[in-house]
Amino acid sequence: MRPLGAHAERPCTLVVCRGCCCGDPRKNPGSDHAGQLARLREAAAASQGRLAVRTSDCLGPCAQANVIVVQPTSEARRRGARAVWFGWALDDTATDEIIAWAESGGPGATPLPATLDLHRIDPPAPKPPADSGRRARRRR
């Protein structure tokens, strides 16, 4: 795996939530969380640089665990493509479909399969800046 520079062309990237709820066997005991992450990493390793996998702490929509965000390639992003968020990605079928879509190009390159659209979720609303509450209190 090579580091991605600020100006490097980025591949389609899977960001896998592994925070407080996603990947937690207590929340979803019937899912193979470690196996899912291993399969995603194996797909990235086999892709010859066309696919990358990152893990993240909590991405926000904990009620929809496991959450995976598919980010477009640099080229697709320049054409207007944006990240697609998936929730309830708990079984092999969801994992297979996410891998297949990302390998085929992902957002902006390949239409989203209807079966995968069932897992699509809205990203959480942006959090206000940390100092916005302090400013509001001073004005009162």
Side-chain angles (χ1 to χ4, degrees):
M1 211 159 105
R2 65 177 177 81
L4 298 173
H7 300 290
E9 288 295 310
R10 293 179 185 258
C12 184
T13 303
L14 305 175
V15 181
V16 183
C17 184
R18 284 298 181 253
C20 62
C21 296
C22 294
D24 185 345
R26 291 172 294 165
K27 182 167 184 162
N28 292 297
S31 298
D32 182 4
H33 303 286
Q36 178 188 52
L37 185 56
R39 289 183 59 222
L40 295 169
R41 287 180 171 158
E42 288 167 10
S47 75
Q48 300 176 344
R50 293 175 304 135
L51 183 63
V53 173
R54 294 181 8 218
T55 58
S56 174
D57 270 342
C58 187
L59 290 171
C62 298
Q64 297 162 329
N66 287 346
V67 174
I68 299 175
V69 180
V70 181
Q71 298 176 328
T73 64
S74 297
E75 179 184 337
R77 187 171 290 276
R78 284 191 293 274
R79 292 190 314 257
R82 294 295 173 250
V84 179
W85 288 61
F86 298 103
W88 303 287
L90 295 166
D91 61 16
D92 288 339
T93 302
T95 303
D96 290 342
E97 290 178 356
I98 291 170
I99 290 170
W101 185 58
E103 286 177 335
S104 70
T110 305
L112 185 66
T115 53
L116 194 51
D117 193 40
L118 296 172
H119 287 278
R120 192 173 189 177
I121 61 172
D122 292 326
K127 294 180 182 176
D131 65 343
S132 67
R134 288 186 208 128
R135 286 185 187 152
R137 279 183 248 147
R138 284 187 216 151
R139 291 181 192 154
R140 292 183 188 165

